[in-house]
Amino acid sequence: MKRIVFLLLLLPIITHARAENFRFAQLSDIHISPKSTHALEDLKRSIDEIAADTSIAFVIASGDLTEAGDRRCLELLKNELDRLPMPYFVTSGNHETTWSESACTAFDKVFGSSRFAFSWQDCFFIGFNSGPFLKMMDGHVAPQDIEWLKTTLDSLKRVAPDTKIFPVTHYPLQDGDVDNWYDVTDVLRLYNIQAILGGHYHRNLLYSADGIPNVLGRSNLHGKDSVGGYTIIAISPDSIRWSEKVIGKKAVQWLALPFGPKAYPEAVAERPSFAVNETYPEVEERWQKKSGVAILEAPALGKTALFYGDDNGTFYALDRMTGQTVWMYQTGSRIKSAPAVYDGRVVFGSTDGNIYCLSENNGKLLWKVGTGDVVMGCPVISEVAGTLAVLIGGSDHVFRAIELKTGREIWRYTGVDGYVVTRPCVYMGKVIFGAWDCGLYALNLKDGTRAWRWSNGSANDKFSPATVWPVATHGRVFIVAPDRVFTCIDAASGRTIYRTKEHKVRESIGLSADGTTIFSRCMWDTIIAMDARSQKPLTIWKTDGEYGYDHNPSMMIEKDGVIIFGTKNGLLHGVAAKDMRYRGIKVKAGTVLWRHKIGNSVLNTICPVSAYECYVTSTDGSVTHIVINE
C-alpha cells in the first residue's frame, strides 16, 4: 500500500520540482524459482545492500523477476522488496508472461499492476509489459498498453512539457525482440525521451530503439561469479550515468549520456515489409476489425457469427459477413481460451475462474461453472456417457466433463500435476491433452478415469507438450513440443511408437482430412508432411515456407486440401496438402499457394470456411476475414 499511495500523491506535486542529483537502483532478471534458492539468495544480498544505502531514492525492477510467474515466487519477491525503506516499482518480463499458471493475473494481484508511472524531481518514469502473451512468440506491447502510454504522456506534456522521460520495459524495443516495437517508438518519439531502461539480456548493453537510447542493465543473478549485483543509475542536472554494482564492491560506471531536449522527428529503423502481398494479389482482406485490445487465442465459427474473447475479458460475436459486433459479454478477467460452438451454444473459459456457456444467438448466459482458479484451457464438445459434454482443463489441476445443456458436472479428473491451456483431442473413447508438467494425459471418456499418462522423460517443464493441440489417427496420437521432437504414441496404451529429431518441429501440428498425413512446421522455414500410418518416421514431403525463424504455437489446419497457418510475425500461408488443382492449376503437394501479411504480431490458429476463405485473430487486436479470389 505504501508504494501505491506514493505513486498517486507524487504525480501532481513533484513534476515541477527543480532537478537535483539523485540516484536509484535497477534490479532486473532476478528469476526466483520454486526449484532453487540461489536466485532468492542473490536477491536478499542485493536488498540488504540497497536498503543500507541512504543515497538510493527508489528502486525499479524491470522484469523476469521470477522464473515462471507463479504466485508463491511473486510473494517471495514482494516480501524481499517490502524490506526496502525506499519506494519500489515493478514491471513484468517474458518469464512472468510466457509461462504462468495464473495467466499473469497473479502479478497484478501481488503488485497491483505490471504498469507504473511516477515523477521524481523533473524526471518521469513509466513502466509497462513488453513480454510475450502466454505462448512462445516475440515480445509484444499490447495495444491497450500503447494507448495507456500515449494518454499518460499526453497528460504529462500538457502539465510539464520539459520533463525528462524514462520508459521502462523488459525487452529492448527493437526488431527481433518486440514484434510491434515500431508502434511503441512512434509514440515515444513525440516526447522528451532521454533513455529507455530495460533488462532481458543479463548484461550491460546500449541499443538504439529506432534512434532512442535503450539501455539494458545486468541480471541480479551471480551466474559464474560468487555474488550477484544490480545497477545504480545517477541523475544530475546535465547527465545520466549507469554503474554496475557487484555485491560488496565499489560501483563501476560503464555509460553516461548527456541530458538535453530530445527530439526524434523521423523513424530510423526499417519497418516490416508488406511487399509479399503484392506477389499474391488474389488474397483479399474482405474486412478487418481492430479492437485495440490483444486477442490471445483462436476464434470459433457459428452459423452466422464469429466468436472470440480478448485480453480485457470481453467475449464477442461478430457478424461473419460484415465484421460488425452482434453482441458482447463481459467476464471478470482476460480470456485465453479458444471457444467451442455447438447446438446454439458457445463455451469458453475465463481467467476469472469460470467456464461460461452463452446463447449463440444473443449472448445470454445459459450457465457458468466456477473452478476456483483461472481457466485457460480450450474446450471441445463431445458425447460423454450418452450426453453432449464440454471437455476442458484449467489451472486448478482438474479436467472436467460438463453437460452442455445444463452445466452439470458429469465427472472430474483431479490428478493433473500442471495447468492446462490446450484444446484436447477426443479419440478411441478417450480425451487426450497435455499440461505444463511434462505429461500427456489420456482419460476415459465414460468416467474420467486415467487410461495412461505419457512423458518425454524430461524434468524441465518448459519442454511439456502443453500448448500443442494433439491430433490422432490410425490408432496413434501425434504431438510436437518445445523439445523439438516429433512424437508418435500408441493411443490405446500410451506407449511410444517413435520419436524423431530429424525435423526441428515445435508445437505446431495438423492432420489431413483423410487421416493419412500429419503436418508440422519447423522452427526455420520448413513445412513437413509425415506418414501417419508408418511404424517409423517417414517424411512424405517437405517444403520451404520462407517464413524465417518461427516458434508460434498456432496449429496447422487443412481444409479442402489446403493447409492454412499463421506465423509469429503476421504472415498467413496457404500450402497444398496434396497433389491437387488450385485456382484452375495443377500443383504438387507442399506448394506454397499464397502468402499474405496481416500485421507483424502473432496470428492465432485460423478458422477455415473453405480452401478459399478463413478468419484469423492476432495479438495486435485484429480480426480479419480473408478471401482468396478464384
Side-chain angles (χ1 to χ4, degrees):
M1 180 61 69
K2 174 183 68 175
R3 183 175 68 89
I4 298 172
V5 170
F6 172 83
L7 170 63
L8 296 176
L9 294 180
L10 198 60
L11 276 168
I13 63 174
I14 298 187
T15 47
H16 298 289
R18 186 173 180 178
E20 297 177 1
N21 297 336
F22 69 88
R23 302 164 81 233
F24 65 95
Q26 179 188 356
L27 293 164
S28 193
D29 300 276
I30 298 169
H31 290 281
I32 293 177
S33 169
K35 298 180 179 180
S36 170
T37 61
H38 296 306
L40 184 58
E41 290 166 358
D42 286 338
L43 177 62
K44 288 178 181 289
R45 294 188 186 99
S46 294
I47 295 296
D48 288 343
E49 194 169 89
I50 294 170
D53 187 344
T54 57
S55 71
I56 300 295
F58 57 87
V59 175
I60 285 175
S62 55
D64 276 9
L65 312 180
T66 63
E67 184 65 16
D70 60 289
R71 181 70 177 254
R72 176 172 174 268
C73 288
L74 288 168
E75 289 174 343
L76 287 172
L77 170 71
K78 187 177 186 299
N79 288 341
E80 291 303 313
L81 292 173
D82 281 348
R83 294 199 292 116
L84 293 167
M86 66 284 290
Y88 66 84
F89 305 90
V90 299
T91 191
S92 52
N94 56 294
H95 274 259
E96 279 83 36
T97 61
T98 304
W99 305 281
S100 172
E101 64 183 0
S102 75
C104 309
T105 59
F107 195 98
D108 289 353
K109 289 175 181 176
V110 172
F111 290 107
S113 177
S114 60
R115 298 171 176 172
F116 62 79
F118 70 98
S119 292
W120 199 277
Q121 297 188 23
D122 67 342
C123 297
F124 187 77
F125 299 85
I126 183 165
F128 50 93
N129 174 55
S130 60
F133 281 104
L134 302 168
K135 64 176 75 175
M136 289 303 298
M137 57 183 280
D138 289 346
H140 180 81
V141 180
Q144 63 267 30
D145 283 348
I146 296 175
E147 182 60 29
W148 170 81
L149 178 67
K150 185 178 186 303
T151 300
T152 304
L153 294 181
D154 277 348
S155 298
L156 176 70
K157 191 173 184 178
R158 287 193 296 270
V159 175
D162 297 328
T163 299
K164 302 177 181 70
I165 300 171
F166 297 90
V168 181
T169 66
H170 180 67
Y171 278 25
L173 296 175
Q174 62 178 359
D175 185 30
D177 284 302
V178 176
D179 56 24
N180 61 339
W181 56 270
Y182 51 94
D183 289 332
V184 186
T185 59
D186 281 350
V187 170
L188 295 180
R189 74 176 66 261
L190 304 176
Y191 308 97
N192 186 26
I193 309 296
Q194 300 295 315
I196 303 166
L197 311 181
H200 186 58
Y201 283 117
H202 290 220
R203 59 189 186 276
N204 303 319
L205 292 167
L206 171 62
Y207 285 117
S208 169
D210 205 12
I212 305 170
N214 199 159
V215 186
L216 310 186
R218 63 156 293 157
S219 167
N220 188 70
L221 296 171
H222 68 266
K224 297 180 180 179
D225 300 323
S226 58
V227 292
Y230 51 95
T231 301
I232 295 289
I233 301 176
I235 303 287
S236 66
D238 63 351
S239 65
I240 177 171
R241 292 174 169 81
W242 284 262
S243 297
E244 181 175 354
K245 180 67 176 72
V246 176
I247 300 298
K249 296 183 179 180
K250 185 178 179 180
V252 177
Q253 181 177 310
W254 66 273
L255 178 67
L257 295 175
F259 280 149
K262 296 296 175 72
Y264 311 93
E266 296 181 0
V268 298
E270 185 177 357
R271 266 46 182 169
S273 172
F274 287 75
V276 66
N277 295 351
E278 299 174 7
T279 305
Y280 302 96
E282 67 271 21
V283 185
E284 175 191 351
E285 295 182 13
R286 183 65 54 86
W287 57 256
Q288 184 177 80
K289 178 184 178 68
K290 292 188 176 182
S291 67
V293 179
I295 303 170
L296 308 179
E297 257 301 352
L301 284 175
K303 296 175 183 177
T304 60
L306 181 77
F307 303 98
Y308 69 93
D310 72 13
D311 198 35
N312 279 349
T314 308
F315 193 82
Y316 288 89
L318 304 185
D319 185 278
R320 285 174 51 173
M321 297 304 294
T322 66
Q324 297 299 307
T325 300
V326 179
W327 53 257
M328 299 183 297
Y329 183 89
Q330 187 64 47
T331 75
S333 187
R334 67 166 44 101
I335 298 172
K336 171 66 171 69
S337 174
V341 184
Y342 193 86
D343 196 26
R345 296 163 185 261
V346 55
V347 183
F348 61 94
S350 170
T351 61
D352 67 7
N354 292 302
I355 301 162
Y356 291 86
C357 179
L358 309 180
S359 165
E360 179 179 356
N361 292 329
N362 57 25
K364 178 183 177 181
L365 178 66
L366 301 177
W367 54 257
K368 71 176 179 179
V369 173
T371 70
D373 210 332
V374 308
V375 183
M376 292 182 281
C378 304
V380 67
I381 297 171
S382 177
E383 185 172 308
V384 172
T387 186
L388 285 175
V390 178
L391 299 164
I392 186 170
S395 291
D396 59 348
H397 309 289
V398 176
F399 193 94
R400 292 173 170 83
I402 301 168
E403 189 173 56
L404 176 62
K405 184 177 181 179
T406 66
R408 175 183 63 89
E409 187 175 281
I410 301 171
W411 54 251
R412 64 166 57 191
Y413 174 75
T414 59
V416 184
D417 293 331
Y419 61 99
V420 179
V421 299
T422 185
R423 172 175 285 170
C425 171
V426 175
Y427 185 64
M428 288 178 54
K430 300 177 180 66
V431 55
I432 303 161
F433 61 94
W436 281 110
D437 58 15
C438 298
L440 185 75
Y441 294 80
L443 307 181
N444 292 308
L445 271 179
K446 181 180 178 180
D447 56 12
T449 56
R450 192 171 88 183
W452 50 259
R453 181 184 185 275
W454 177 92
S455 173
N456 61 14
S458 174
N460 187 346
D461 59 7
K462 302 297 189 296
F463 289 160
S464 298
T467 304
V468 63
W469 296 2
V471 296
T473 183
H474 291 280
R476 294 100 177 268
V477 179
F478 297 87
I479 57 169
V480 288
D483 61 3
R484 307 178 190 184
V485 181
F486 185 97
T487 302
C488 175
I489 300 165
D490 181 76
S493 66
R495 174 183 59 87
T496 300
I497 297 175
Y498 67 78
R499 280 165 58 80
T500 177
K501 295 183 179 180
E502 179 184 359
H503 309 291
K504 299 297 183 185
V505 293
R506 181 164 183 157
E507 297 178 287
S508 180
I509 202 168
L511 174 66
S512 65
D514 62 10
T516 63
T517 310
I518 308 297
F519 309 110
S520 191
R521 191 170 76 246
C522 303
M523 294 178 68
W524 283 100
D525 288 319
T526 307
I527 304 160
I528 62 167
M530 304 287 285
D531 192 326
R533 299 160 294 184
S534 175
Q535 286 294 111
K536 297 180 179 180
L538 177 61
T539 304
I540 301 173
W541 55 258
K542 61 181 179 180
T543 194
D544 186 352
E546 298 183 22
Y547 50 74
Y549 174 74
D550 193 83
H551 49 31
N552 171 29
S554 295
M555 302 308 113
M556 307 181 76
I557 307 296
E558 190 222 315
K559 189 71 174 180
D560 302 332
V562 177
I563 308 161
I564 308 175
F565 67 89
T567 70
K568 69 182 179 67
N569 293 123
L571 191 59
L572 196 64
H573 289 69
V575 178
K578 57 186 178 181
D579 295 347
M580 61 184 296
R581 293 187 70 86
Y582 189 76
R583 301 181 72 236
I585 301 173
K586 287 185 178 181
V587 294
K588 292 285 188 181
T591 300
V592 176
L593 304 172
W594 53 265
R595 299 192 298 160
H596 183 80
K597 191 167 176 65
I598 292 175
N600 204 53
S601 299
V602 160
L603 298 181
N604 300 311
T605 302
I606 63 99
C607 267
V609 178
S610 70
Y612 296 93
E613 183 181 7
C614 67
Y615 296 85
V616 62
T617 59
S618 173
T619 54
D620 67 7
S622 64
V623 186
T624 309
H625 180 198
I626 294 289
V627 175
I628 295 86
N629 296 305
E630 298 185 57

